[in-house]
Amino acid sequence: MGLRVSLARTAIFAALYAAATIAGRMTVLDEGRLALVWPAAGVAVVWFCAQRRAAHRWVDVLALATIALVGNASTGTGPALAAVLAVANVAQTVLFGWLLGRRRPTLWGGGGNERLSTPRELACVLGMTVVASAAGTVTALAGLSLLDGHLSGLLVVDWLTRQAAGMFVIGTAGLWFGPTLSGFRSRHGSAAGWWRAADRAVRAIPAWRLGEYAAVTVCSAAAYLLGFVYDRGLPLLFPLIAVTVWAAARLRTSFVVLHGLTVGAASLLFTLHGDGPMANIADPHVGALFAQVYVILVAVVGLSLALGRDERATLMAKLCAQQQELARHAALTSAIIDSMADGLAVVDANGEVLLNNPAAVRLLERPTGPLTPAEVRARLHHLDGTPIADADLPNVRALTEGRIDPVDLLVQEPGGRDSRVFRVTATTLPEGHGTSSAVVLYHEVTAEHRRRDQLTSFAGIVAHDLQSPLTTVEGWAEAAADALDAEQPTIDVDQARDSIARVSRAAVRMRGLINDLLANTAARDAALHPSRVDLTGLVGDIATGRADAAAASEQPVPQVALGRLHPVYADAGAVRQLLENLIGNAIKYTAAGVTPHVRVTSTRVGGVVQVTIADNGIGIPAGQHEVIFDNFHRAHAGQGYTGTGLGLAICHRIVTRHGGTITADDNPGGGSRFTFTLPAADPPPAARKAAEQAALPPGRPGRSTSEGRNQAPLVAA
């Protein structure tokens, strides 16, 4: 606060304090000692609260003491008594400010900028008022007794009540309106801005509420006229508090503060004028005492009710906000739980399921509906198939151990078929009152276990398939070395050449196995680069290559018949690998001495192309039309057909990564028939976007379909 602003405020409050002092001295009852009202005490309190942050507070103290001294002396009080009263006024004002800063430092005037907000704060302010006014009263009356020795108990009580009434009624009004006036410039800028804001606020008040304000005002005026002027000696004073209660229960606190000031001033003015019940009391000191007590009572009742109502409204607003926040958090938690892909269940100490999220219901359901807790318990086993004991159940262990690490358990269908594996984690959920429940989280890992089993099987297959050619390589390499070291080189060289040829064929078999493994990895992990692929040219290129290979090995040349093949939108290299595997299988799995006949056709169905490859081979064994697409599955193992069991698994991965499907069934004319779908070359935008998004981290690019090869003879479909 700047010096000029501080001095300007000091001048304004000094003028108000001087006017309040003169007004108080004008209500003196007898011999210049006791005034009926003393508003200067309340003005001094507001003055020092407003100037709490002033840099030169001694100026305010000096100004207050000077005005009190001069004011009392100029209205008939002797110089000595005027000095005593000045010291008493300064003492009670400074003490009130000190107590306010210590007990309520957040309030305006106590160091903060908040206004009165609760009945408890109001009671604290009333206590400070009593203490400060008592200190001022003791100081003033002690000096008075020393000067003339005339002092009575009634005078002490009157003086104390008068100081407390002035400090409390005007002081609480200052504490209420002080924050508003302090922030006037920052909020409104000018009087015109305040007027516009006030006009908007009044316009926002409903008409019925404005009517109620007017009704309270009119009823208050009528009641006080009846109670003080037209009472005809009836004791109608204290029932007038009813209008204060009405205002405090229904209207804004600012109006209640102004209403208390107005009716308090009116009651004192009526009494001073000789009207009302208190003016009819014979002893003026007793009348003054009742008048001050009534003013304090009106202020306390009105503010207590209004602040209590405001406090309840604030608490209700906070409670509603907390309830809304809790509801929002509950809805968010519920949405998160419901959207989880893993199953979540809350199980109490008795084994009753308190909560199941949708994923839990979905994971533990059967064709006829979800499994009951009893059915789940009956089907729960260890991975080796042994039943799980009650003490080993995840929810039971969680309640005794606090938390258990993930454990894999088997949910087995009756008869041991269609078993599923779940990875289960459980932890304790305290519920209060010494009870707890268990939160069980489970994730299906059946596919992971199957892949692990497939890898184990694959390791066996690879070890077996590599063992044979490696044995061949070692044996015939040793035979070739022995032949070259023999004494008859001509004969032994021929034997060595035969051995080396056998070694070469074994190496080819090993390379084929390794190539299949690499192709399987590429089909799973390589990125896709979709583009327009001409199936007619691609199938023709593959057929030519197969025909050349058959002719070179003196095998029957396969006949590949083509129908109309629609172009597709896919990765060219992946599609070539897909067709190579399917056409190669159709040619390979043909009976000895039979010329392979393969027919490739397609149809357009909406945004996809359905391709069919039919052959005249040995067919697919019954019951294996679906499992042949599993990794390492060999439908004709032990019948002399070489392979790793990865070809059709690679085909399945390629098709599914393009968003299509692949199936196998029997060819009505004998043999097998494979059908797969791929996106058409001009699919709808959504299908094209889905195909483009299928790309994963970059892999090896596919070969172009334009690689030059001699065209094999094709048969018209």
Side-chain angles (χ1 to χ4, degrees), residues 159-180:
W159 201 299
L160 174 64
T161 307
R162 185 193 66 168
Q163 297 293 325
M167 291 178 64
F168 182 75
V169 175
I170 299 178
T172 52
L175 293 177
W176 179 262
F177 290 107
T180 302

Side-chain angles (χ1 to χ4, degrees), residues 248 274 312 352 429 449 482 487 647 671 715:
R312 287 192 300 273
E352 296 293 330
L429 177 66
H449 276 258
D482 292 341
E487 296 179 356
V715 179

Side-chain angles (χ1 to χ4, degrees), residues 533-598:
V533 178
D534 179 15
L535 292 184
T536 301
L538 185 57
V539 172
D541 190 26
I542 294 172
T544 300
R546 294 291 176 174
D548 292 344
S553 60
E554 298 181 354
Q555 297 292 325
V557 176
Q559 301 296 311
V560 180
L562 274 64
R564 179 187 178 187
L565 297 179
H566 299 78
V568 297
Y569 185 74
D571 184 272
V575 174
R576 170 178 285 278
Q577 188 175 27
L578 169 66
L579 293 172
E580 284 272 13
N581 285 349
L582 292 177
I583 295 175
N585 280 355
I587 295 172
K588 179 172 69 173
Y589 292 102
T590 304
V594 177
T595 299
H597 287 271
V598 183

Side-chain angles (χ1 to χ4, degrees), residues 454-471 509-518 520 631-632 634 643-646:
Q454 289 172 351
L455 288 175
T456 303
S457 175
F458 163 71
I461 293 173
V462 171
H464 176 271
D465 287 359
L466 286 179
Q467 185 71 27
S468 177
L470 281 175
T471 302
R509 290 198 300 274
M510 286 191 293
R511 180 173 296 278
L513 176 60
I514 294 172
N515 286 340
D516 279 350
L517 295 175
L518 293 175
N520 180 59
N631 287 330
F632 317 115
R634 300 175 68 181
T644 61
L646 290 173

Side-chain angles (χ1 to χ4, degrees), residues 418-437:
D418 299 328
S419 299
R420 291 180 293 168
V421 181
F422 289 92
R423 183 158 295 155
V424 184
T425 304
T427 187
T428 304
L429 177 66
E431 295 181 347
H433 307 290
T435 61
S436 298
S437 297

